[in-house]
Amino acid sequence: MSGFGGNHMKIAVIGANGKEGSLIVKEAQERGLDVTSIVRDSKKSPTDKYLVRDVYSLKTADVKDFDVLVDALGFFGPNVKEYVPATKHLIEILNGSKTRLLVVGGAGSLYLDSDHTKQLYEQDDFPEAVKPLSEEMGKSLDELRQSSINWTFISPAATFDAKGECRGKYVLAGEELTFDKNGKCEISYADFAIAMVDEIINAKHQKERISVRW
């Protein structure tokens, strides 16, 4: 296995053909990383190297040679209940390995205060339609915190724009919801991908949840 940094790092991306996953793959390839896609259909792989698996069929042998495994899976509607069991499975197959797990997280579990007493999704005006998703992603984060694997959970800004511009920059923050000088909390999928690949390469926030915004 290669060390952190350098252009020989081997990474695998689960959900590599999704909106965010495909941008992470593209950014990683542009920086010279060795990228393998983990997809359920070989025709949907954005890379020449791929594994055809769903998350639950992944085994330790499939991922042990990667420096980093990126979880870019998205579950929606009634499928949001898959976040916790999927995370538990990834923890199980990574236990005892040196492979880091980096997760495309959600904003709903960010805290509103420095005391970490209230999360964004607990606000009275938080959209009911998104609350189950935020709750399940928050529970997945709790599973990571209780695990012994090397993980990083990256939460996007409150407004996470799939079609937003790529500014090529972002502000790195911690567990609390933060805003720009205009009171906005936004990030594009493209700039989130840049932040994700920066963390893949630099490994500055191991066993931490961080957040990114413009």
Side-chain angles (χ1 to χ4, degrees), residues 17-184:
N17 59 315
K19 288 181 179 178
E20 183 59 54
S22 60
L23 289 171
I24 292 169
V25 166
K26 181 173 178 285
E27 180 69 23
Q29 286 185 313
E30 286 178 355
R31 294 208 232 168
L33 275 63
D34 183 342
V35 185
T36 297
S37 298
I38 299 176
V39 291
R40 290 188 292 179
D41 182 348
S42 61
K43 296 185 182 71
K44 294 183 178 179
S45 176
T47 56
D48 293 334
K49 294 181 180 180
Y50 58 84
L51 285 173
V52 179
R53 304 277 194 282
D54 72 10
V55 63
Y56 299 111
S57 65
L58 276 173
K59 296 179 171 62
T60 298
D62 293 323
V63 298
K64 66 181 177 61
D65 291 330
F66 295 107
D67 296 297
V68 172
L69 179 63
V70 177
D71 177 3
L73 287 172
F75 297 110
F76 305 99
N79 292 330
V80 297
K81 290 290 186 181
E82 296 296 324
Y83 273 109
V84 172
T87 300
K88 285 182 174 179
H89 180 72
L90 293 176
I91 291 169
E92 182 182 335
I93 65 172
L94 291 174
N95 261 331
S97 79
K98 294 181 179 179
T99 303
R100 295 174 63 214
L101 177 67
L102 270 69
V103 179
V104 177
S109 60
L110 288 168
Y111 294 102
L112 298 173
D113 53 48
S114 58
D115 294 330
H116 295 181
T117 56
K118 192 170 185 180
Q119 292 168 291
L120 178 59
Y121 74 79
E122 295 175 308
Q123 284 193 117
D124 293 337
D125 59 350
F126 192 82
E128 283 296 325
V130 188
K131 190 171 288 188
L133 171 68
S134 297
E135 288 177 339
E136 294 305 313
M137 293 187 89
K139 291 175 185 176
S140 296
L141 174 57
D142 290 340
E143 293 291 338
L144 292 170
R145 291 191 202 279
Q146 294 164 25
S147 76
S148 60
I149 69 167
N150 191 351
W151 59 273
T152 304
F153 187 101
I154 307 182
S155 287
T159 299
F160 195 23
D161 190 353
K163 297 180 180 178
E165 65 181 321
C166 181
R167 300 182 184 179
K169 61 181 181 180
Y170 60 87
V171 174
L172 184 67
E175 299 254 29
E176 294 91 43
L177 188 70
T178 60
F179 303 88
D180 66 15
K181 62 182 180 182
N182 298 313
K184 293 182 177 181

